[in-house]
C-alpha cells in the first residue's frame, strides 16, 4: 500500500496506534495536520519529505497524495484524531480511489471518545445517558444529514430499524451492519433501512449498525482498498 491515511489520535502522542506509528517510522513522505503532535512528526525518518498540511488547499493536497502514491512512495497522511471523523479523510480516500491509487485507512482515537474521557466525563453511563449526539459548530440546530450509529443493535435489529423509521428516517436510506470490524473475519451487510433487519439476520456479533448517506461512499472507497489488501 503506498498511501496511508493515519489517525494520530487526539493530541497525546502516546495515543497513536501501533500500526500508525509503524507506518510513520518508515514513510518516504509525511503530510501532517496542524493539530498533530510535533513529537509524532519527529518520528518520521530523517530523510523523509515532510509537508505541513496548511501549506496546501484540499485539491492540491488530494493531487499530491495521488501523485506521490502513483510514484510508489510510502506516504503517511497523518490526521488529528480519526481520519473519517470530521477529518476530510473520506474526501482524500475518494480522490485516491478514483485515481486507482492503493491506500489504507488506519483509524485513530477520535477526540469524540478521548477528550470526554480525559476530562473524566463518561460519554454514556447506565441510568444517566444511553445515547450520544454529535454535531458540529456549523450544523448545530440545523436539520442536517446525520449519520446514525447504533451500538449493541444486532440482537434487536428489527426493533432498532422500526424505531429509526418511526423517527422519520426514510426506508430507502442506505444502512449497514458491520460485524467483527477490523478483525480478519469482518463482515459488512449493506441494505436500505427498510430491509436491513432481514438482510443482516444471521451476522455474528459484535456489530455496529450505521445508517445514513455515507454508507453509499463505501462502494467507491472499496475498489482500491480491496486492491490494497490484495497487494499488502
Ligand atoms: C476538524 S475536527 C477533527 C476531529 C478529528 N478527526 C477527531 O477524530 O478527533 C477538529 C476539532 O476536534 C476537536 N478536538 C480535536 N482534538 C481535541 C483535543 N485534544 N481537545 C479538545 N478538542 C479536540 C475540536 O473541537 C477541534 O476543533
Amino acid at each position: 500500500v503506498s498511501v496511508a491515511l493515519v489517525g494520530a489520535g487526539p493530541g497525546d502522542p502516546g495515543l497513536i496506534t501501533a500500526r500508525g506509528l509503524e507506518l510513520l517510522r518508515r514513510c518516504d513522505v509525511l503530510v501532517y495536520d496542524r493539530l498533530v503532535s510535533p513529537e509524532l512528526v519527529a518520528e518520521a525518518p530523517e530523510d523523509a519529505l515532510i509537508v505541513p498540511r496548511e501549506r496546501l488547499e484540499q485539491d492540491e493536497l488530494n493531487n499530491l497524495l495521488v501523485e506521490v502514491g502513483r510514484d510508489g512512495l510510502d506516504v503517511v497522511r497523518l490526521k488529528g484524531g480519526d481520519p473519517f471523523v470530521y477529518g476530510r479523510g473520506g474526501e482524500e480516500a475518494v480522490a485516491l480511489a478514483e485515481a486507482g491509487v492503493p491506500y489504507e485507512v488506519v483509524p485513530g482515537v477520535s477526540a469524540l471518545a478521548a477528550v470526554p474521557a480525559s476530562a473524566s466525563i463518561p460519554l454514556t453511563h447506565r441510568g444517566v445517558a444511553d445515547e450520544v449526539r454529535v454535531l458540529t459548530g456549523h450544523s448545530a440546530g440545523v436539520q442536517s444529514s446525520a449519520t446514525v450509529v447504533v451500538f449493541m443493535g444486532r440482537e434487536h435489529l428489527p426493533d432498532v430499524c422500526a424505531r429509526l423509521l418511526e423517527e422519520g428516517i426514510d426506508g430507502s436510506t442506505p444502512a449497514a451492519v458491520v460485524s467483527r470490524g477490523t478483525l480478519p473475519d469482518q463482515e459488512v451487510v449493506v441494505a436500505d433501512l427498510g430491509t436491513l433487519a432481514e438482510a443482516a439476520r444471521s451476522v455474528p456479533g459484535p456489530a455496529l449498525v450505521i445508517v445514513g448517506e455515507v454508507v453509499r461512499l463505501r462502494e467507491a472507497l472499496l475498489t482500491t482498498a480491496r486492491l490494497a489488501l490484495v497487494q499488502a
Side-chain angles (χ1 to χ4, degrees), residues 7 9-12 33-35 79-89 108-116 118 136 138:
D12 179 338
D33 277 352
R34 190 174 51 85
L35 287 176
K79 304 170 74 73
D82 179 86
F84 278 5
V85 179
Y86 298 122
R88 303 189 73 165
V109 177
S110 175
L112 171 63
V115 175
S118 176
T136 71
H138 316 291

Side-chain angles (χ1 to χ4, degrees), residues 68 79 85 126 140 214:
V68 283
K79 304 170 74 73
V85 179
R126 198 155 56 94
V214 288

Side-chain angles (χ1 to χ4, degrees), residues 15 19 23 101 112-113 155:
L15 290 176
R19 173 76 180 148
L23 292 171
V101 175
L112 171 63
E155 296 83 351

Side-chain angles (χ1 to χ4, degrees), residues 10-34:
D12 179 338
L15 290 176
I16 192 172
T17 61
R19 173 76 180 148
L21 190 56
E22 178 197 337
L23 292 171
L24 177 59
R25 284 181 171 156
R26 59 175 162 84
C27 70
D28 301 308
V29 181
L30 168 65
V31 185
Y32 69 96
D33 277 352
R34 190 174 51 85

